[in-house]
Amino acid sequence: MVTFKTVSRYVLAVLFIGAGVLHFIAPTMFVRIVPPYLPAPYLLVYLSGAAELAGGLGLLLPATRRLAAWGLVALLVAVFPANVYMLQSHGAGMPDPLWALWLRLPLQAVLIAWAWWHTRP
């Protein structure tokens, strides 16, 4: 029987796998939102993309589900400054409307809670 939590885990995995792939396909888009006080923006984008891929793929494997979910929680906390910077710089050169930039902040909390839910047995 497929449970709601199983479907949720697969949706979350696809979301992170897709986002991770985008970090490698279009890194410049992500580099723009790396706060300027952080070094090596391309390296950070590639590392965060790899972490998203690993977390998303890890959610699909029973042996790594909980660890992957904890990793995604940590990743989402770590990249939160990029969302704040994006708001402070009015999109960091991206065409997002201001309301969408504000919406990203609580959305990050929702994603953290969603990943955290999957740390639970």
Side-chain angles (χ1 to χ4, degrees):
M1 181 167 117
V2 176
T3 66
F4 177 75
K5 192 164 189 175
T6 300
V7 172
S8 169
R9 188 177 61 251
Y10 279 98
V11 170
L12 189 63
V14 168
L15 187 142
F16 275 98
I17 291 167
V21 168
L22 276 176
H23 279 67
F24 292 95
I25 292 173
T28 305
M29 178 175 71
F30 294 97
V31 165
R32 283 190 246 169
I33 66 170
V34 175
Y37 56 83
L38 294 175
Y42 275 94
L43 176 62
L44 293 174
V45 166
Y46 292 134
L47 288 174
S48 61
E52 288 178 337
L53 281 169
L57 292 170
L59 287 175
L60 301 176
L61 303 171
T64 57
R65 273 183 198 146
R66 291 187 68 204
L67 182 60
W70 278 117
L72 290 172
V73 168
L75 175 67
L76 288 164
V77 170
V79 301
F80 186 75
N83 291 314
V84 172
Y85 172 70
M86 196 170 173
L87 174 63
Q88 290 173 331
S89 65
H90 301 285
M94 298 175 90
D96 296 349
L98 190 58
W99 65 264
L101 300 174
W102 276 104
L103 186 62
R104 287 176 71 91
L105 301 180
L107 178 62
Q108 194 82 357
V110 170
L111 289 171
I112 289 169
W114 189 5
W116 178 82
W117 184 48
H118 289 287
T119 67
R120 307 281 114 328

